Amino acid sequence: MQETTRRISMGERAEKILIVDDAQFMRYTIKKILTKFGFDNVVEADNVENALKVYQAETPDLVTMDITMPGESGIEGLKQIRQINPQARVIMVSAASQKDKVIEALTLGAKHFIVKPFTEDNLIATIDKVLKM
Amino acid sequence: MFEIKKELINPFIEAAAQILPQIVQGIEFTRTGLSLAKDVPVSSEKLAIIILGVIGNVKGRIIYSLENKLACEVASKMLFEPVSEELNSLARSALSEMTNMVTGRAISILVSNGYEVDFSPPTLFVGRDIQIPESDIPAILIQFSTQYGNLHLNLAVKEIEK
């Protein structure tokens, strides 16, 4: 198990991932999990405005987007990223209480969603599934 | 006389029982008290206090109060690394996220029970002698004990008549 972790943490995954979340803890946690599973190409934004700038500059392969953020919500962020790239792969990160917003996001083109608290395996499995879309 | 509805209180107890063991493994939370909170006591002990608002057809506020040693342990378990007593910004963010997850689950239970309700983002304070303005809504104090200290949920919510 340790060997597997060491091997995949050497940067096997070339896909670039953008984490959008206002909570420092969530950005830190998601990045830590991604790095552990070999995703070394990770960029971050703490709000929608910054996310759009980073998206255009970095053209990530996948975005994890928190739904509730100060200023524009993750739903707005999803809409604007899909305007820039209609094929954008966006995974919504939601609280347990946000079922309606998740449905709205899926209708607007989000590829998947993940509910907090999530496990490492749950996050990575969802990302892998969406990267294959 | 004002009646505190158990349908509004129980989801928070249920949510804490569901979520806390998932996100802070190794800390045993045992509910040791449930009482009417006549006021919000000022403690000389260092505390981490997190306040969230409840909005919709149930309104009010929730205060999570953690003794500092427990706050450090919770943040440390969430981050999988040691956390100093000063609780840096990452540790504070972890504590806020814990309250987001517990409150989110409670709100989700309320919504599935037919309430139209949401909550506002958490605000966190750390220190001694923190004074919280009293709510005009009668509050319930729920105490959880752990091996690292106590967690109090001070819950002041009421249903808004249509």
Side-chain angles (χ1 to χ4, degrees):
Chain A
M1 187 64 192
Q2 278 181 335
E3 284 226 336
T4 310
T5 304
R6 192 166 62 239
R7 184 168 51 78
I8 61 177
S9 66
M10 288 173 70
E12 284 184 347
R13 307 292 301 257
E15 299 97 333
K16 188 181 286 183
I17 298 185
L18 167 59
I19 304 166
V20 187
D21 204 308
D22 62 306
Q24 185 186 5
F25 167 75
M26 289 309 302
R27 296 196 306 276
Y28 178 85
T29 300
I30 293 173
K31 185 174 182 178
K32 200 169 174 181
I33 296 170
L34 291 172
T35 305
K36 180 178 171 182
F37 283 82
F39 292 92
D40 286 342
N41 234 338
V42 180
V43 286
E44 302 175 32
D46 61 359
N47 60 41
V48 169
E49 188 184 348
N50 289 337
L52 296 176
K53 287 178 192 160
V54 176
Y55 189 88
Q56 287 180 304
E58 301 282 346
T59 57
D61 300 286
L62 183 144
V63 180
T64 69
M65 177 76 74
D66 185 30
I67 289 184
T68 306
M69 288 183 282
E72 290 182 293
S73 73
I75 301 278
E76 275 306 311
L78 166 70
K79 282 186 201 168
Q80 293 178 50
I81 283 178
R82 297 271 300 176
Q83 279 173 7
I84 297 168
N85 175 10
Q87 309 304 319
R89 299 185 186 101
V90 181
I91 295 173
M92 306 308 291
V93 179
S94 84
S97 59
Q98 296 177 312
K99 211 176 281 179
D100 290 350
K101 286 175 185 162
V102 166
I103 293 168
E104 184 185 357
L106 293 172
T107 309
L108 290 166
K111 301 291 186 193
H112 221 297
F113 68 95
I114 188 162
V115 179
K116 296 182 281 188
F118 49 78
T119 63
E120 288 182 358
D121 290 346
N122 189 358
L123 175 68
I124 295 299
T126 306
I127 286 174
D128 276 337
K129 190 185 290 181
V130 172
L131 283 171
K132 286 175 187 159
M133 287 179 171
Chain B
M1 183 179 162
F2 187 85
E3 185 191 353
I4 297 176
K5 295 177 80 171
K6 66 179 182 186
E7 303 94 280
L8 301 182
I9 304 298
N10 286 346
F12 290 89
I13 298 173
E14 192 181 329
Q18 284 176 7
I19 297 290
L20 293 174
Q22 281 182 49
I23 57 175
V24 284
Q25 291 173 14
I27 301 179
E28 297 289 330
F29 287 86
T30 307
R31 183 158 65 85
T32 49
L34 179 67
S35 58
L36 196 63
K38 293 198 170 60
D39 51 32
V40 182
V42 177
S43 170
S44 61
E45 186 162 347
K46 190 174 178 185
L47 299 173
I49 289 181
I50 303 124
I51 305 174
L52 301 96
V54 178
I55 49 179
N57 68 3
V58 175
K59 73 166 232 181
R61 57 105 180 105
I62 315 150
I63 302 172
Y64 294 77
S65 168
L66 295 88
E67 291 171 7
N68 198 57
K69 187 178 178 194
L70 175 60
C72 291
E73 286 296 328
V74 167
S76 171
K77 299 279 184 200
M78 291 180 75
L79 291 162
F80 297 98
E81 59 190 43
V83 164
S84 72
E85 281 191 13
E86 285 68 40
L87 292 170
N88 64 17
S89 66
L90 184 58
R92 291 175 190 220
S93 176
L95 292 170
S96 293
E97 203 53 42
M98 176 203 74
T99 65
N100 258 334
M101 291 181 200
V102 173
T103 308
R105 179 62 58 89
I107 295 295
S108 137
I109 297 169
L110 286 169
V111 168
S112 65
N113 291 341
Y115 294 98
E116 290 172 16
V117 60
D118 203 347
F119 65 103
S120 64
T123 304
L124 181 144
F125 307 89
V126 177
R128 300 174 198 277
D129 303 320
I130 298 173
Q131 285 192 308
I132 306 290
E134 279 186 39
S135 168
D136 55 357
I137 302 169
I140 288 285
L141 190 66
I142 306 162
Q143 178 174 307
F144 294 89
S145 296
T146 79
Q147 64 269 49
Y148 302 106
N150 294 322
L151 160 68
H152 289 100
L153 257 72
N154 184 304
L155 189 58
V157 288
K158 71 174 181 184
E159 189 174 358
I160 304 298
E161 301 299 332
K162 285 181 182 173

